[in-house]
Amino acid sequence: MRYIEFGPGKAKVSELVLGTMRIAQMQPKEVATLIETALDAGVNAVDTAPIYGPSEHIIGEAFAARPGLRDRVWLQTKLGIRPHPRAKANYFDFSYDHIIESLENSLRVLKTDHIDSLLLHRPDALMVPEEIAQAFQELHDAGKVIDFGVSNQNPAQIRRLESYLAFPICANQVQLSCAFTPMLDASLNVNMENDASVMRDGGILEYAYDKGMAIQAWSVMQHGYFGGVFLGNPDYADLNAALDTIATEHGVTAAAVAINWVLRVPGKMQAIVGTTKAQRVTKSAAACDWEMTREEWYEIYLAAGNALP
Ligand SMILES: NC(=O)c1ccc[n+]([C@@H]2O[C@H](COP(=O)([O-])OP(=O)(O)OC[C@H]3O[C@@H](n4cnc5c(N)ncnc54)[C@H](OP(=O)(O)O)[C@@H]3O)[C@@H](O)[C@H]2O)c1
């Protein structure tokens, strides 16, 4: 397993992160075993969020079931996505009151006295940086949160928030897989007239690299926006053929190749794996044992249906 240095304290955090968005049907003891299996494979990071149904609650029960487990984990949660009481959708809330209330609730259900990394989950159009900064500072001073980050934010939003903070934004959690590449498409098609050249994100990858900010890729096995798994998907036959070929050559699974592809992007890259199967975590850990060549990386990019200038 490879590790990045996270935040000003340079916490040693694995490039693979265990995502827990899909654990709602699991028992706490099963989740404890999943986390322990991840730890055995060198994966010391767990990501959750209040909006993932009972995820935080189940993790808290898992910690309670296995004394000492919490202390072995680098724990990240998020906040700011709230179910709307009337509209059939979620809305976003980065108000001071919600930040404090949500974090206190996370500490309670996760049965812990601190969170290692707290992310703002999705941009709130009504966010006021001074309010966020006040809440972050109080949580930091109280020792309740070590490091802070964002998710799905562009550099302009991060830059503005950072200008109100006494500490850096340490991570941006964004969607990236070999079948979902808008951030890379724009960087590869600069000043072209095709759709791929449209930069919709304001240079997230470039900004993160320059700042030493971690990029945490979510849905590394998915296509589209929650479109489903591309592995074994006949709509992605060429991509699967390329992944399988490279997997065979390296003696790893196609999933490990897909993860390696994301981690091969320069910078402090992390891949959040959302599997509920312990053996898949173990096999995915092999993604960090080798580095993909440029030829392999571009072969996969092209096999996913992309063109290069
Ligand atoms: N910040 C955000 O906005 C945001 C959004 C979405 C997710 N996230 C985070 O990112 C994490 C990962 O997201 P995700 O769950 O969408 O990621 P994912 O790892 O791409 O998807 C996990 C799903 O893919 C399946 N899968 C994994 N490996 C497979 C394989 N080899 N063959 C077939 N199916 C396979 C899993 O099934 P099995 O369980 O059966 O293995 C599971 O249903 C989440 O848990 C969450 O922490 C963040």
Side-chain angles (χ1 to χ4, degrees):
M1 181 56 52
R2 293 184 304 238
Y3 298 85
I4 63 165
E5 291 181 342
F6 193 97
K10 300 188 177 178
K12 184 184 168 192
V13 186
S14 51
E15 288 188 354
L16 245 61
V17 179
L18 182 66
T20 60
M21 184 178 72
R22 301 176 193 266
I23 64 167
Q25 306 305 319
M26 296 176 75
Q27 295 301 313
K29 284 186 177 169
E30 293 175 300
V31 171
T33 301
L34 184 67
I35 294 172
E36 285 172 342
T37 306
L39 285 164
D40 288 345
V43 179
N44 67 355
V46 173
D47 178 79
T48 182
I51 200 66
Y52 299 158
S55 170
E56 285 189 330
H57 176 76
I58 295 170
I59 294 169
E61 293 297 319
F63 289 157
R66 305 281 166 88
L69 184 58
R70 161 66 186 101
D71 294 337
R72 299 172 63 201
V73 167
W74 180 88
L75 184 59
Q76 175 171 273
T77 193
K78 318 182 196 77
L79 53 76
I81 303 183
R82 307 186 72 177
H84 196 282
R86 280 195 302 275
K88 289 193 180 105
N90 295 321
Y91 74 108
F92 312 112
D93 187 347
F94 291 175
S95 63
Y96 170 87
D97 287 348
H98 181 65
I99 292 173
I100 300 294
E101 182 189 324
S102 183
L103 188 278
E104 293 288 356
N105 193 56
S106 291
L107 291 177
R108 190 175 54 77
V109 295
L110 285 163
K111 301 186 193 303
T112 184
D113 62 355
H114 76 280
I115 297 296
D116 295 286
S117 169
L118 176 69
L119 308 186
L120 297 171
H121 205 153
R122 256 195 186 281
D124 170 13
L126 307 182
M127 62 184 156
V128 177
E130 290 92 332
E131 262 188 84
I132 300 170
Q134 187 190 344
F136 277 12
Q137 191 67 54
E138 288 179 18
L139 294 172
H140 188 259
D141 292 347
K144 294 177 177 176
V145 177
I146 309 288
D147 288 314
F148 296 86
V150 298
S151 178
N152 307 305
Q153 290 206 14
N154 65 36
Q157 292 168 322
I158 299 169
R159 206 179 292 119
R160 184 181 53 171
L161 180 54
E162 279 190 314
S163 71
Y164 290 86
L165 293 172
F167 36 76
I169 290 296
C170 303
N172 192 6
Q173 189 171 115
V174 288
Q175 187 176 9
L176 177 65
S177 76
C178 51
F180 187 90
T181 56
M183 294 188 298
L184 291 160
D185 301 339
S187 301
L188 284 162
N189 290 272
V190 173
N191 197 30
M192 310 271 297
E193 291 179 320
N194 55 3
D195 285 349
S197 69
V198 179
M199 180 169 275
R200 300 178 174 87
D201 66 272
I204 286 174
L205 292 175
E206 291 82 354
Y207 185 77
Y209 187 94
D210 292 348
K211 290 285 187 176
M213 181 185 297
I215 288 287
Q216 302 183 335
W218 57 265
S219 288
V220 288
M221 299 298 153
Q222 315 283 319
H223 61 89
Y225 184 67
F226 295 103
V229 177
F230 57 76
L231 287 177
N233 183 334
D235 291 343
Y236 290 84
D238 290 350
L239 176 59
N240 278 285
L243 292 171
D244 287 343
T245 300
I246 295 167
T248 303
E249 283 169 5
H250 290 273
V252 297
T253 61
V257 176
I259 295 167
N260 192 294
W261 189 88
V262 166
L263 297 177
R264 183 66 176 81
V265 174
K268 282 189 185 173
M269 300 301 291
Q270 294 180 290
I272 314 175
V273 290
T275 183
T276 55
K277 308 272 186 333
Q279 69 272 23
R280 282 188 173 154
V281 177
T282 305
K283 287 180 177 170
S284 294
C288 297
D289 290 349
W290 55 290
E291 186 175 87
M292 187 172 288
T293 65
R294 272 194 165 69
E295 287 79 4
E296 289 169 332
W297 194 92
Y298 280 103
E299 179 182 351
I300 290 170
Y301 183 76
L302 290 166
N306 299 297
L308 288 168

